[in-house]
Amino acid sequence: MIKDIARLAGVSTATVSRALSHPDRVSEETRALVMGVVERHGYRVNSFARSLRKQRAGAVLALVPNLGNPFFSLIIKGIQDRLQEAGVDLLVADSHSTGGAGRSPVAHLRESRADGLISLDGSLPAATLKDLVAPDTVGKVVFACEWPLSAPLPSVRSDNREGMRLAVDHVVGLGHRRVAYLTGPAGNILTDERRAGVEAALAAQGLSLPPERVDGGDFSLEAGHAAAVRLMAMTPRPTAVICASDQLAIGLISGLSALGLSVPQDVSVMGFDDIASAPYALPPLTTIRQDRLALGRAAADLLLERLADPAATEGRVLTLPVELVLRRSTAAPA
Amino acid sequence: MIKDIARLAGVSTATVSRALSHPDRVSEETRALVMGVVERHGYRVNSFARSLRKQRAGAVLALVPNLGNPFFSLIIKGIQDRLQEAGVDLLVADSHSTGGAGRSPVAHLRESRADGLISLDGSLPAATLKDLVAPDTVGKVVFACEWPLSAPLPSVRSDNREGMRLAVDHVVGLGHRRVAYLTGPAGNILTDERRAGVEAALAAQGLSLPPERVDGGDFSLEAGHAAAVRLMAMTPRPTAVICASDQLAIGLISGLSALGLSVPQDVSVMGFDDIASAPYALPPLTTIRQDRLALGRAAADLLLERLADPAATEGRVLTLPVELVLRRSTAAPA
DNA sequence: CCTATAAATGTAATCGATTGCACCACTTTG
DNA sequence: CAAAGTGGTGCAATCGATTACATTTATAGG
C-alpha cells in the first residue's frame, strides 16, 4: 500500500514513510504532497508490517482474574485511559478461563502480540509466574491491585493495611469491642493484607480477633449473605462487622435483614472499596475508598515507564492512599 | 527465529512452518524432530510476521460505551470466552474516551490491528458509522446489546419489548393501575425500545403512560435516587414504578427509603437486567433477566461467522429471550 | 524394468513498512 | 575556487513467517 502512495506522489516509499513518521526529515512541500495523497486515498499504515519491522506491538495485555467481576471495570478503564493517551492498545484476557486455544498469558509476550503485561491477578500459577520472571519477560510485567508474594515484581496497590486501620479505629472509636471480620478468599494477597491490618489495628487498641469471629472466605455477595446467620448465632454477638469488600458488606446486610436485624441499630457494618452502589445501599455503606481508576492509570503508567527503562523500575512498589467514607451503616453499639 | 529452528533441526524453514501449522503435511519423524527442537528452545511464532503474511490479525475489537460501567463486564466476559475458544484475542476500547492518540475505532480495522469489531455502543457518531458501513469494513462489524437505527448491521440483543411486557403484565396483574416509568438516556436505542414496550403493554391492558409519570433519563443509580422525590410528590402517587435498569431501581429504592417510604408496601419497584446485586437489594429486586454472558458469546459467535462469510450474515438480528424474576420488590397495591 | 502418481521437502517470492547508507545539489568557509 | 558541510531523497536490506511451485524420493501399476 505504501508503494501506491509513493507512486502516486512520485516519491520513494522511504519518503512516504518519513513524511508520516518523521515529518521533520522531509521538506515542507514533500510532506504536504504526500499528506495530500494519503488523505485522498484514506491510506493507513499496516500495523503488522510496522510492528514486525520495529519489533514492538503497540499493545499491552491486561490479565484479569474474572472479567465478569464488575470490581475490575474501573481499574480496566483507568488502564485503558492511560494507554490510549500513549497510543497503545489494550488486550484483555481472563486468567481463569483457559479456553480451547488455551494459550498462556505469557504466550502473548513471547509471540510479541503484546509489549507488556499488567496482571490484576496476584495468584498466578507457579509455572506462569516462573515464565514471567524469565530474563526476557521480567522487564515487561507489572501488577495492579494484587501482587505475587513470591516474586519482587513492580506493582501498584492500595494501602490495604492503613485502610483496615481506619476501619478498625472508626468502629472502635464508636465504642465497639466485639468486632467480627469477613475475610476474602484463601491464598489471596488482599485477604492476607487486610486481615493482618485488622488484627494489627485491633491489637493496637488492646483488642483481639479470635478465629471464631472471622467468617467469609470470598469477596462475594453470597459469602456475605451466608455469613449473617453464623455470625448472629454467636453468644455474645459481635456488635460490628468489618468486611474485606463492599460486596461482602452488602451481602451481609441483606442476610441480616432476612434475620430481622437492622444496620446499624443491631450491628454496625463496614465495607472496603467504595464501589458505585455503596452510597445507595440500605443503609448507605460506610467504607474505605480505594481509587480504582487512579490505580489503573498508575499501573499503566508504571508499565509504560518500565518498558522504556526496566532497570529504573526494578521492584518498584507504589502504594496509593485510601480514605474513610462515613455513611450510615455504622453507629455506636446499643 | 524460525531460521534457527530450521538450522538446528537440519530442515528448511518451510518444513518447520508446516510441522507447526499443518502437521499432516510432514512426515511423522520430521514432525517429532522439529517439535523437539521447538520445545527445547521455547520457540514461539512471531505473530506479526504471521499476521502480515496471512493478512489477518487474530484479534477482535470490542467497543464499549464506558469501560468503567460494570454492566458491560459480563458481556465482555462472554465475548472473551467465545473468542478464546477460537484462539482470537480481544482488544477493548472505550467509545467515549478519545485520548491523546485519538484513533477512531475504525482505524483498528483499517490498520488491520483487528479483524473485526463488536460494538456495544449503538449511538456511534454519524461519521464513525459511515466509516463502518464502507464496503471494506461492513463485513467485519456486529453489534451487541445496543444497535444503530440508521444502519442495518447484524446484531445480537435481548428482547427488550417482551421484557417490558412481562414487567407491565406482572405489576398490572398485581392490581396496579398508576404505573410510572424510569427511562434511560435520550437517544439510546434501549431507552426507546423499552419505553415503547412499556407503553404498548400498558395500552394492551387499557392503561396509559402519561408523560408526567415518566422520569429518569439515565440508567444510573443517581438518576433513580433523584427521581424518588419527584415521583412521590405527584398526586395521586403512582403505586408501581418500572425501571429501565436495575441500577435505576436500586437508586430509586434508596431515594424512597430516604423519604421514609418502603418497598413494596408503599410502592412496588421493578428493575431490568438482573445484575449480580439484584438478589441482595433490600428488598430483593423483582426484575427482568437478560443473559449478558450469553449475549456476549452470541455476539462473538456472530462476528466469527460474519468474518468467515459476510454475505450469509447480512443484516442478521438475533433476539435473545428474557425472563421475569420474581423477588420481593413488588406486591399488590395497598 | 520403466513410467505414472503420491508424499515429503526445499527454494524463493511475498506480506508492507522502516531505516542505514549512499548520493546529489546546494551552501558555507577558508 | 576548492573543500567541507547540510538537507532531502532514493536504494535496497530487513523484520519473521507462509506458501506456490519445483524438486526429489518412494510406491504402485503395467
Side-chain angles (χ1 to χ4, degrees):
Chain A
M1 281 291 278
I2 199 180
K3 275 195 198 146
D4 301 339
I5 303 299
R7 186 166 33 74
L8 291 164
V11 299
S12 71
T13 62
T15 299
V16 174
S17 178
R18 280 189 281 250
L20 258 27
S21 308
H22 308 281
D24 52 318
R25 317 270 306 137
V26 300
S27 73
E28 180 77 41
E29 51 185 340
T30 308
R31 190 191 328 155
L33 170 66
V34 171
M35 288 309 196
V37 178
V38 164
E39 201 70 32
R40 258 193 302 292
H41 292 259
Y43 165 75
R44 318 247 38 180
V45 302
N46 179 307
S47 69
F48 298 132
R50 167 179 287 175
S51 287
L52 176 57
R53 178 61 222 233
K54 300 184 95 167
Q55 300 287 64
R56 66 179 282 278
V60 152
L61 176 68
L63 198 57
V64 184
N66 177 4
L67 266 175
N69 186 336
F71 173 79
F72 297 109
S73 57
L74 264 182
I75 303 180
I76 298 285
K77 182 170 172 63
I79 293 174
Q80 147 78 16
D81 282 357
R82 179 66 189 89
L83 290 181
Q84 185 161 349
E85 288 173 14
V88 172
D89 282 348
L90 175 61
L91 285 157
V92 299
D94 193 312
S95 59
H96 287 173
S97 78
T98 51
R103 301 221 318 277
S104 128
V106 192
H108 284 267
L109 257 35
R110 287 254 155 70
E111 293 169 3
S112 57
R113 308 203 68 139
D115 297 318
L117 172 68
I118 301 178
S119 178
L120 310 199
D121 186 347
S123 317
L124 297 171
T128 305
L129 207 54
K130 180 156 158 287
D131 281 348
L132 285 182
V133 297
D136 60 330
T137 46
V138 70
K140 308 176 170 181
V141 178
V142 308
F143 281 77
C145 195
E146 303 188 356
W147 66 96
L149 260 183
S150 49
L153 291 162
S155 76
V156 180
R157 55 186 78 167
S158 291
D159 195 341
N160 293 287
R161 288 184 191 239
E162 170 65 5
M164 281 310 187
R165 191 190 63 76
L166 291 170
V168 166
D169 286 5
H170 171 61
V171 296
V172 172
L174 285 171
H176 293 276
R177 292 294 172 268
R178 286 192 308 280
V179 178
Y181 180 60
L182 253 45
T183 189
N188 181 289
I189 186 74
L190 300 178
T191 296
D192 298 345
E193 286 284 309
R194 291 182 190 165
R195 179 162 181 174
V198 169
E199 289 181 341
L202 282 173
Q205 299 271 7
L207 298 171
S208 71
L209 183 68
E212 64 271 20
R213 280 215 286 269
V214 176
D215 204 308
D218 193 332
F219 290 125
S220 68
L221 290 155
E222 291 77 355
H225 188 93
V229 49
R230 290 189 296 268
L231 244 31
M232 292 303 112
M234 298 178 65
T235 47
R237 280 181 181 168
T239 63
V241 186
I242 294 177
C243 303
S245 77
D246 282 354
Q247 302 243 326
L248 273 171
I250 291 170
L252 173 65
I253 293 174
S254 148
L256 290 171
S257 161
L259 296 172
L261 295 166
S262 52
V263 176
Q265 291 80 0
D266 298 310
V267 198
S268 284
V269 173
M270 282 206 61
F272 197 108
D273 289 340
D274 196 26
I275 61 176
S277 61
Y280 300 95
L282 293 184
L285 196 62
T286 294
T287 188
I288 304 297
R289 173 180 300 153
Q290 56 171 330
D291 189 339
R292 317 215 293 292
L293 199 63
L295 202 149
R297 281 194 76 87
D301 221 28
L302 179 59
L303 179 61
L304 292 172
E305 187 181 346
R306 185 157 180 72
L307 293 177
D309 184 357
T313 52
E314 203 59 54
R316 175 131 103 213
V317 172
L318 224 70
T319 304
L320 268 42
V322 296
E323 186 187 348
L324 174 66
V325 182
L326 290 174
R327 296 207 182 92
R328 318 286 301 280
S329 66
T330 50
Chain B
M1 282 290 279
I2 200 181
K3 276 195 198 147
D4 301 341
I5 303 300
R7 186 168 31 76
L8 291 165
V11 299
S12 71
T13 62
T15 299
V16 174
S17 178
R18 281 190 282 250
L20 257 26
S21 308
H22 308 280
D24 51 318
R25 316 270 305 139
V26 300
S27 74
E28 180 77 41
E29 49 184 342
T30 308
R31 188 190 329 154
L33 169 65
V34 171
M35 289 310 198
V37 178
V38 165
E39 200 70 31
R40 258 192 303 291
H41 292 258
Y43 164 76
R44 318 248 37 179
V45 302
N46 179 308
S47 69
F48 299 132
R50 168 178 286 174
S51 288
L52 176 58
R53 178 61 223 235
K54 299 184 99 169
Q55 301 286 69
R56 65 180 284 276
V60 154
L61 176 68
L63 198 57
V64 184
N66 177 3
L67 266 175
N69 186 335
F71 173 79
F72 298 108
S73 57
L74 264 182
I75 302 180
I76 298 286
K77 182 169 171 65
I79 293 175
Q80 148 77 18
D81 281 357
R82 180 65 188 90
L83 290 181
Q84 185 160 348
E85 289 173 13
V88 172
D89 281 348
L90 175 62
L91 285 157
V92 299
D94 193 311
S95 58
H96 288 173
S97 79
T98 50
R103 300 219 321 277
S104 124
V106 192
H108 284 268
L109 257 34
R110 287 253 155 70
E111 293 170 3
S112 57
R113 306 201 66 125
D115 297 318
L117 172 68
I118 301 178
S119 177
L120 310 199
D121 186 347
S123 317
L124 297 171
T128 305
L129 207 54
K130 182 158 158 283
D131 280 349
L132 285 182
V133 297
D136 60 329
T137 45
V138 70
K140 307 175 170 183
V141 178
V142 307
F143 281 77
C145 196
E146 303 188 357
W147 67 96
L149 260 183
S150 50
L153 291 162
S155 77
V156 181
R157 55 186 77 165
S158 291
D159 195 341
N160 293 286
R161 290 185 188 237
E162 169 66 4
M164 282 309 187
R165 191 189 64 76
L166 291 171
V168 167
D169 286 3
H170 171 61
V171 295
V172 172
L174 286 170
H176 294 276
R177 292 296 173 266
R178 287 192 307 281
V179 178
Y181 180 60
L182 253 46
T183 189
N188 181 289
I189 186 74
L190 300 178
T191 296
D192 298 345
E193 286 283 308
R194 290 181 192 167
R195 179 163 180 172
V198 169
E199 289 181 340
L202 281 173
Q205 298 271 7
L207 299 171
S208 71
L209 183 67
E212 65 270 20
R213 279 214 288 267
V214 177
D215 204 308
D218 192 333
F219 289 124
S220 69
L221 290 154
E222 291 79 353
H225 189 91
V229 50
R230 290 189 297 268
L231 243 30
M232 291 304 112
M234 297 178 66
T235 47
R237 281 180 179 167
T239 62
V241 186
I242 294 177
C243 302
S245 77
D246 281 355
Q247 301 241 328
L248 274 171
I250 290 170
L252 174 66
I253 293 173
S254 148
L256 291 171
S257 161
L259 296 172
L261 295 167
S262 54
V263 176
Q265 292 79 359
D266 299 308
V267 200
S268 284
V269 173
M270 282 207 62
F272 197 107
D273 289 341
D274 197 26
I275 62 176
S277 61
Y280 299 97
L282 294 183
L285 196 62
T286 294
T287 189
I288 303 298
R289 173 180 300 153
Q290 57 170 330
D291 189 339
R292 318 216 291 294
L293 199 63
L295 202 151
R297 282 194 76 87
D301 221 29
L302 179 59
L303 180 61
L304 292 172
E305 188 182 345
R306 184 154 180 74
L307 292 176
D309 184 356
T313 51
E314 203 61 54
R316 176 132 104 216
V317 171
L318 224 71
T319 304
L320 268 41
V322 296
E323 187 186 347
L324 173 66
V325 181
L326 289 174
R327 295 205 183 93
R328 318 286 301 280
S329 65
T330 49

